[in-house]
Each structure stands twice: as C-alpha cells, then as structure tokens.
Amino acid sequence: MRIQHYHADNGRFAEAKFQQSVLASKQGLTFCGVNAHHQNGRAERRIRHLTEAARTMILHAAHRWPQVITPHLWPYAIRLASDIGLNISQDSDEGEKKAKAPIQLFSQVPVKVQLKTYHPFGCPTYVLHDTLANGKYHPKWSDRT
C-alpha cells in the first residue's frame, strides 16, 4: 500500500521541505480551506465514531460506578475506543472469509489479537493482597484485595 495523495491543512504541511518530499515521491498534495472540516470526510467520520464510542463507555461506566467515573477519564475512553477500532476485525455482511483488522491491513502482518486483554471501560480491578499472593495465612473474614 502506497500513499498516493495528501489532503491537508495549511499548517506544517505547507512547508517547502514537505512539499518537495511529496513531489519527489510522485504523490499529490492539496490543501483544504480554513475551518473546512467538511472537506475531510474520512477523518471527520473517524473522529465522530471515536467520540460516540468513548461517550457511550463513559456514560455506561458512570451509571454503574458514579463515585469513581468522571469525565476526566475521557482520554482513556478515547484510547480504548481507538484500540478496539484498530485491532478488532469487523465481520463483513457478504459471508466472505473473516475480515482482517485495520492494523493488519495497514501493516500487512497477520496478528492474532488477544481478546481476553480487552475489558469493559471503567470496570473495577483489584490487586491481590500480599499475604494471599505470597501463600501466607490470611484471615477468612479479611478483605482479600
């Protein structure tokens, strides 16, 4: 897969060195207008998808654990939504072979995703108490975490 064209803003991409590199690589470069978000539909659709997924995760977690989950966890929800979107394959409706994850398509490397490492956003986690971890005596009615 080779990048054929860039559609960018007038910021860093307008610098002469970047433009020379693009021309030397026989790639195209166009610039979008100021505040013309409608000109980059793919990026805007991805941003909307990530925002909606993160918002859903935060609201669900806050409903279940209101004393801990706050909007300050927004960056972590965005990161999880992005990781899920890149690493989990989307099944096709056409009955074809199992679809590849976007990261596999981009890197051209088959990677088996460990689904057991994905947990619902905001789910509580616990650390085992030292006495239990070391195999020592731990009173039956004491907290184990």
Side-chain angles (χ1 to χ4, degrees):
M1 181 182 293
R2 183 180 164 279
I3 296 174
Q4 297 175 1
H5 187 86
Y6 294 96
H7 186 68
D9 61 10
N10 295 332
R12 304 284 306 200
F13 301 103
E15 293 181 2
K17 286 187 178 184
F18 182 76
Q19 289 185 16
Q20 290 169 359
S21 174
V22 168
L23 290 174
S25 301
K26 297 183 177 160
Q27 297 169 323
L29 175 64
T30 56
F31 295 104
C32 60
V34 177
N35 291 326
H37 301 289
H38 62 278
Q39 290 186 354
N40 197 347
R42 286 184 179 178
E44 293 300 321
R45 186 171 45 254
R46 176 77 172 148
I47 291 168
R48 186 183 74 229
H49 173 75
L50 288 175
T51 303
E52 289 174 354
R55 180 179 178 271
T56 301
M57 284 189 246
I58 291 236
L59 289 174
H60 177 71
H63 179 72
R64 301 197 63 184
W65 206 8
Q67 63 272 26
V68 176
I69 304 298
T70 68
H72 296 291
L73 297 173
W74 178 255
Y76 302 104
I78 289 280
R79 176 68 188 263
L80 179 61
S82 178
D83 285 348
I84 290 171
L86 290 175
N87 292 304
I88 307 298
S89 62
Q90 305 295 322
D91 292 332
S92 62
D93 294 335
E94 299 154 6
E96 298 175 12
K97 290 191 288 184
K98 185 165 174 107
K100 292 183 179 179
I103 195 73
Q104 292 175 342
L105 294 172
F106 178 76
S107 66
Q108 298 294 314
V109 176
V111 177
K112 181 161 175 59
V113 177
Q114 300 296 323
L115 293 178
K116 65 181 178 181
T117 62
Y118 286 94
H119 301 283
F121 178 80
C123 69
T125 57
Y126 301 95
V127 177
L128 191 61
H129 199 277
D130 285 341
T131 58
L132 286 169
N134 295 329
K136 297 179 182 175
Y137 172 76
H138 188 79
K140 183 176 184 176
W141 301 109
S142 295
D143 192 7
R144 296 177 173 264
T145 58

